[in-house]
Amino acid sequence: MLRMLTGFAVMVFLVTCIAASFGQTRPAPNRPTSDFKVRYKVIMNAGGQAQSNETVTMIKGARERSESRMGYFDNINITQCDLKRTIQINDKVKKYLITPMEVDTPTASNTPAAPTAPPAPRPANPPRTGGIITYVTTIVDTGERREMFGFTARHVKSSTSIQSSPDACNPNNFRTELDGWYIDLSVEFNCNVGGPGATASRPPAVGGCRDQVKFRREGNGKIGYPLIETMRMYDGSGQVTFSTTKEVIELSRESLDAALFDIPAGYTQAMSQQEMYAAPSAADIMGNTSGVTPNVGSVSTPAPSGNEVKRPGAVRVGVVQVNNKSGKPTVSAEALRTRLINEIQGSGIEAIPLNGTSAAELEAEAKAKQCDYILYSDLASLKMSKLGGLFGSVTGAGGLGKSESKMEFKLFAVGETSPRLQSSSTAKEEGDENSAGVAISAEARAVVSEVKKRR
């Protein structure tokens, strides 16, 4: 399943960034630019299971709109390079969320000085320095050419591997390969937010260990815009763990309506991801037409959005949306997650929502939000336990009973493929909401206990 890819997902994110920095196209001089609309068919394969969906990318000047349609869930994002911001759109609740682009990183010269405090005592066991993680990217142009959608496409093969020194805090040895046909697009869309530098430093792992990250490029090929592209990810033993193929099925250069690249009229601004994807929209997605608002947890007090600065020395858990596998629409997945977040936070551990829709997005989001762990939760079952038999016959009740719920959950350290905790919790209470809520509380206690053991 895609969830087992969390250890490799960061590779997809980094390979995309690195490849973009080496193969980015820019407007051709003295040539008028035009609008573009590209429709992709995407097939993902993980663990022998394939999933397919379609995505649409539209470009108009300095703005881009991307749409991903996956049945009950539609993901719409608008990038406005001219305003240095991105906009998420939720058509179901007519809301939008604005996220500014981080163009400049504050330095010591422009960062307000912290209040003077006594020097901290020297730790008895200072944190380990760590080692070196090297990302090696190779791009090779095969020399083959093909006419596609009115463009001359070039066949390019590239790869990115992670090489870790023996003393690395989080050693990884993975490899990702790209094989595709690429073209140069004459467009103005270029946000200029910068690519990865020659060296970087990973955020410290739990315990303070920090690796130095380096990037190296080999070969003289150029990637560009993909018309057909297959990506394969390999583990340390050379086995393919994940693959995805995307192919353009429509490419249009006709003029696009400017309104597609701006906030829709009549939509209201959400202040957090929690508000953007609140419980009512989750209930609507699952077909809840009863008109009853679930009372699991409290949705009136939003959990942190993840934009808050992480406290020094804190441990942060990223909580993925609860997957309701029970088939019962009477329980809100978002309300369950809110209760889970609140209870983890009540125990002194930071917890924030993660809203990615794939393993790659979740891993990258967790990194960006400085999470140490990613928590996946499934409402595996929810059923009624009747009190029948002799008792039911005597009382005439027949249908009295309680709701039995079961939560299954996995806790991964960011960047790891094996769960630190894999367990389940059960509850038997009156009402589906109460039963699922008690089970989610038991999950929170188990997660907090595991995290605190490893601090």
Side-chain angles (χ1 to χ4, degrees):
M1 295 179 65
L2 288 178
R3 288 187 174 178
M4 299 307 295
L5 298 172
T6 52
F8 304 112
V10 69
M11 276 288 288
V12 180
F13 175 73
L14 288 170
V15 168
T16 302
C17 294
I18 296 169
S21 68
F22 292 134
Q24 191 174 41
T25 61
R26 301 185 183 274
N30 302 320
R31 178 180 173 184
T33 60
S34 59
D35 299 350
F36 287 88
K37 178 180 178 181
V38 182
R39 185 184 303 275
Y40 278 106
K41 179 180 180 181
V42 182
I43 300 177
M44 297 179 290
N45 192 303
Q49 296 184 351
Q51 293 183 340
S52 64
N53 67 294
E54 288 190 4
T55 64
V56 178
T57 298
M58 289 174 276
I59 299 175
K60 186 178 185 69
R63 297 187 176 188
E64 179 189 62
R65 177 187 176 100
S66 62
E67 302 176 359
S68 181
R69 309 289 181 178
M70 294 176 285
Y72 70 88
F73 183 83
D74 293 342
N75 187 25
I76 302 175
N77 291 279
I78 297 173
T79 301
Q80 297 178 329
C81 295
D82 53 330
L83 300 179
K84 300 299 182 186
R85 68 181 188 179
T86 60
I87 303 170
Q88 291 176 260
I89 305 292
N90 188 338
D91 283 334
K92 294 186 181 298
V93 296
K94 297 187 181 303
K95 290 188 177 183
Y96 64 92
L97 181 66
I98 295 177
T99 303
M101 295 181 184
E102 296 182 2
V103 180
D104 297 316
T105 302
T107 62
S109 60
N110 57 21
T111 302
T116 303
R122 182 183 298 273
N125 296 310
R128 185 159 64 89
T129 302
I132 298 176
I133 308 294
T134 305
Y135 291 81
V136 181
T137 300
T138 303
I139 305 177
V140 177
D141 189 330
T142 67
E144 299 172 271
R145 299 294 184 264
R146 181 192 299 180
E147 293 299 316
M148 303 174 69
F149 296 97
F151 293 87
T152 300
R154 56 183 176 273
H155 188 190
V156 179
K157 296 183 178 181
S158 61
S159 66
T160 297
S161 61
I162 300 179
Q163 301 172 1
S164 305
S165 63
D167 55 346
C169 308
N170 295 299
N172 292 310
N173 290 283
F174 304 139
R175 178 180 174 85
T176 298
E177 293 182 352
L178 293 174
D179 187 340
W181 292 83
Y182 304 89
I183 62 174
D184 291 327
L185 284 182
S186 177
V187 295
E188 298 175 2
F189 182 74
N190 184 355
C191 287
N192 287 322
V193 294
T199 62
S201 183
R202 278 190 174 185
V206 176
C209 185
R210 183 189 297 268
D211 289 326
Q212 184 183 19
V213 180
K214 295 184 176 182
F215 299 91
R216 188 171 77 245
R217 180 188 185 276
E218 299 175 350
N220 57 2
K222 183 174 67 171
I223 291 182
Y225 201 90
L227 297 184
I228 301 177
E229 184 181 67
T230 297
M231 186 272 291
R232 297 182 181 88
M233 302 180 70
Y234 299 83
D235 60 17
S237 65
Q239 297 295 315
V240 177
T241 59
F242 174 72
S243 67
T244 180
T245 297
K246 59 181 181 180
E247 179 177 358
V248 172
I249 55 178
E250 176 190 351
L251 193 154
S252 170
R253 286 178 280 183
E254 296 180 359
S255 179
L256 298 170
D257 187 352
L260 291 169
F261 304 86
D262 214 333
I263 299 169
Y267 282 43
T268 57
Q269 183 173 3
M271 303 310 297
S272 67
Q273 290 281 358
Q274 190 79 359
E275 181 184 349
M276 184 76 167
Y277 300 101
S281 63
D284 180 66
I285 287 173
M286 294 185 289
N288 183 8
T289 57
S290 63
V292 178
T293 302
N295 60 8
V296 182
S298 172
V299 296
S300 60
T301 305
S305 65
N307 295 324
E308 296 83 357
V309 177
K310 184 178 178 182
R311 300 193 317 270
V315 177
R316 177 172 286 185
V317 178
V319 182
V320 179
Q321 178 63 277
V322 175
N323 182 21
N324 188 351
K325 298 169 63 177
S326 69
K328 296 287 189 70
T330 53
V331 177
S332 164
E334 184 58 33
L336 282 175
R337 178 166 72 164
T338 300
R339 178 164 178 166
L340 180 59
I341 289 174
N342 288 340
E343 297 205 12
I344 293 175
Q345 290 189 135
S347 299
I349 304 296
E350 289 190 1
I352 62 172
L354 297 179
N355 298 292
T357 59
S358 68
E361 292 176 358
L362 287 166
E363 185 78 9
E365 184 182 359
K367 288 277 189 180
K369 293 182 176 179
Q370 297 180 291
C371 294
D372 302 295
Y373 297 91
I374 301 176
L375 176 61
Y376 294 95
S377 307
D378 292 333
L379 178 56
S381 62
L382 190 62
K383 59 184 179 180
M384 182 63 69
S385 175
K386 293 185 178 181
L387 298 176
L390 179 62
F391 179 81
S393 300
V394 173
T395 62
L400 290 176
K402 294 185 176 182
S403 181
E404 294 182 352
S405 61
K406 180 179 182 181
M407 296 295 306
E408 296 177 345
F409 49 94
K410 295 179 182 180
L411 180 70
F412 290 82
V414 173
E416 293 185 1
T417 58
S418 298
R420 294 286 184 93
L421 174 65
Q422 180 174 351
S423 187
S424 63
S425 58
T426 58
K428 185 185 292 187
E429 301 290 335
E430 292 184 1
D432 290 347
E433 298 95 335
N434 290 334
S435 179
V438 172
I440 208 82
S441 296
E443 175 185 343
R445 292 193 295 270
V447 169
V448 170
S449 176
E450 177 65 21
V451 171
K452 287 186 175 181
K453 281 195 308 184
R454 297 178 178 272
R455 294 182 71 172

